Amino acid sequence: MTNKQTVKRPFLIYMLAFTFLMAGLYSLIGTLGIFQSWNWWLSFVSVKSIILQVFLGLLTTLAWISAAIILWLRLSWAVIYSSMVIILTTLWFWVERLLLTQNPMPFKRHALVLAIMCVFLIFIFSSLYLVAPIMKPHHSLRKDGGGASVQPTGEENESYPSRN
């Protein structure tokens, strides 16, 4: 009988996974909204713009949902992947909001959204920082744990002492 301890997931992982799933659902609803109002979109923008919006919506949906799943599985690189998803979607949100709009708004209209997003990002990144130690450790591919390294010439590397 093996004594295998199971580590319970902390509440922050539940909360972060739920937040990422909700962000993925929000992105999916936006993408489905494009299909629902397809004729309206065609009358005002080109087909290339619609296809770009659908592609970005699906890509964002898959990124958020995969971040939630990877974080739930507690893989060693889950925090880095989730952080990259957050950074990329935030950057795209502001590029789209500030640079790609046809009718740009004055800065005072962006101030509230900027403040809310800063508070949200501080909360999410601090939560990811707190759950980072709980992620499963990365296991080495070598099973023997030997320290000797062999050069292409067949000689051993001097930086790793041999275990003879």
Side-chain angles (χ1 to χ4, degrees):
M1 184 169 148
T2 60
N3 188 8
K4 189 175 185 181
Q5 294 179 348
T6 59
V7 178
K8 293 174 78 174
R9 288 181 180 86
F11 178 71
L12 278 177
I13 290 183
Y14 285 98
M15 188 187 59
L16 286 170
F18 178 75
T19 303
F20 293 165
L21 286 175
M22 288 298 109
L25 182 65
Y26 180 78
S27 178
L28 181 64
I29 290 171
T31 305
L32 293 176
I34 292 172
F35 289 120
Q36 187 178 14
S37 57
W38 187 265
N39 291 330
W40 183 84
W41 275 89
L42 283 176
S43 63
F44 290 103
V45 294
S46 67
V47 174
K48 291 179 185 177
S49 177
I50 298 171
I51 292 173
L52 177 67
Q53 288 294 329
V54 169
F55 175 72
L56 288 173
L58 291 175
L59 184 67
T60 307
T61 300
L62 290 175
W64 282 116
I65 291 174
S66 65
I69 292 170
I70 289 169
L71 193 67
W72 184 259
L73 295 175
R74 296 183 310 155
L75 298 177
S76 61
W77 46 275
V79 173
I80 295 171
Y81 179 77
S82 300
S83 299
M84 291 307 298
V85 167
I86 293 167
I87 290 169
L88 290 175
T89 53
T90 302
L91 285 176
W92 179 250
F93 172 78
W94 283 106
V95 164
E96 189 175 35
R97 186 175 175 105
L98 296 176
L99 302 177
L100 300 180
T101 56
Q102 297 291 333
N103 188 8
M105 295 186 286
F107 178 74
K108 65 180 183 177
R109 298 285 306 252
H110 297 293
L112 180 64
V113 175
L114 181 62
I116 291 171
M117 184 165 283
C118 286
V119 169
F120 179 73
L121 289 176
I122 289 169
F123 175 71
I124 294 293
F125 283 128
S126 60
S127 298
L128 284 172
Y129 175 76
L130 291 173
V131 278
I134 300 165
M135 296 295 128
K136 293 179 183 175
H138 178 69
H139 297 293
S140 177
L141 293 177
R142 283 197 282 182
K143 301 277 185 195
D144 62 350
S149 175
V150 178
Q151 298 292 330
T153 59
E155 301 172 347
E156 285 191 5
N157 189 357
E158 288 91 33
S159 63
Y160 294 104
S162 178
R163 291 189 178 191
N164 291 338

